[in-house]
Amino acid sequence: MADAPTAGDLKKTPLHDLHVELGARMVPFAGYDMPVQYPTGIMTEHKATRESAGLFDVSHMGQARLIGPDHETTAKALEALTPSNFVELGFGRQRYTVLLNAEGGIIDDLMVSRPIDPAQDGTLMLVVNAACKDGDYAHIAANLPDNVKLEIIEDRALIAVQGPLAVEAVAAHAPAAAELGFMSAAPMEFDGIAVHMARAGYTGEDGVEMSVPAGAAEAIARALLADDRVSPIGLGARDSLRLEAGLCLYGHDIDQSTSPVEGNITFCMQKRRREEGGFPGADRIQSELKDGPGRIRIGLKLEGRAPAREGAEIRLPEGGPVGTLTSGGFAPSVGSPIAMGYVAAAHAAPGTKLELIVRGKALPAEVVDMPFVPNRYYRKPKA
């Protein structure tokens, strides 16, 4: 067995020194030394994000560009690797998608945005998961046509601000942020610093993610944290917020064996792609769309206060096993333990009673709709 990474082996984000200064407890995560929580604790950080605004360092994520001669060429190159419609992605729009292997399993999930500037026609911007980025880059580069290239961005940091007051706090420094619609992205200035801002997030709350020059990341973070509305948030609260939002964590809730249909994320597949196919694993995925998958990701609410964790067996009451948990924990906004996992499709209907086996004990649970906490993503008022 390989030795666990030491602090000296771990990479550091441009905000590392600030995390330490703020008293964060640092842990290894995806090869980086990352804050899991600050002195106030995970519950307080979770509540701060739901009620006000939280600042997350996501600089460990991978940022890259696909560059081709025109939008259609670049979009079709990415469509050959994913099940999403990028040809019709508008200027300044962003889309969630997944890289697929030949069997229709998920190599990674990622965000893709098209620059708002027509002068950058032919460019698509990618943000991929930290633990997967090297493999993603190799896979993408090996499967591009000769006239499209992958450009890895090494000199940028990524800062997310999430919560009902997040955009208001950011707009105090970058007024144009207030005009962004959900899943839109645009370049703008933050206190005179050029940044690229996208309105999205993984907490279920309104918010933005900013790609910023690495050398300016600390100044931007300090400016935001000087605002009483904004609190620093670590990986612990990020995970509890993500779970309440019913969103997948790569390597846990989705992986190379999971199709988008099984993962219950078919929203990443627009109508044209579902019908036409032409992506890796299309035969399997289109068959699952038509006939239903054999298993599917579900949400579960547990009775009592004891949580169940990843790997717990899911069983029928006084019956046999029907699935496995992939994520679980206490949900501060719900006031009870919740979980996600995969079960045979016949047992996936909301209201189904199941049991989770934790240390040999059966914990009663019920299948519920997701998200566990209503999403509050921003929608522009209609004119």
Side-chain angles (χ1 to χ4, degrees), residues 276-322:
E276 292 181 2
F279 46 82
D283 288 349
R284 169 192 176 183
I285 290 170
Q286 289 177 309
S287 175
E288 289 176 346
L289 285 169
K290 179 176 180 288
D291 301 323
R295 60 170 187 157
I296 194 163
R297 181 175 64 97
I298 59 163
L300 290 158
K301 187 173 181 181
L302 285 68
E303 296 180 14
R305 304 287 288 181
R309 305 294 183 184
E310 179 180 0
E313 184 179 75
I314 305 172
R315 300 179 68 92
L316 295 173
E318 301 181 12
V322 292

Side-chain angles (χ1 to χ4, degrees), residues 6-29 31-38 55-60 157-159 214-219 221-222 225 232:
T6 66
D9 298 327
L10 297 171
K11 297 176 184 177
K12 297 177 180 178
T13 75
L15 295 181
H16 182 272
D17 290 348
L18 178 58
H19 298 315
V20 173
E21 178 187 320
L22 294 172
R25 179 160 71 86
M26 308 297 288
V27 298
F29 182 80
Y32 286 79
D33 197 26
M34 295 294 291
V36 69
Q37 67 180 76
Y38 296 87
L55 184 146
F56 302 75
D57 180 9
V58 286
S59 304
H60 56 313
L158 200 61
I159 297 171
E218 186 173 320
R222 287 186 184 277
L225 292 171

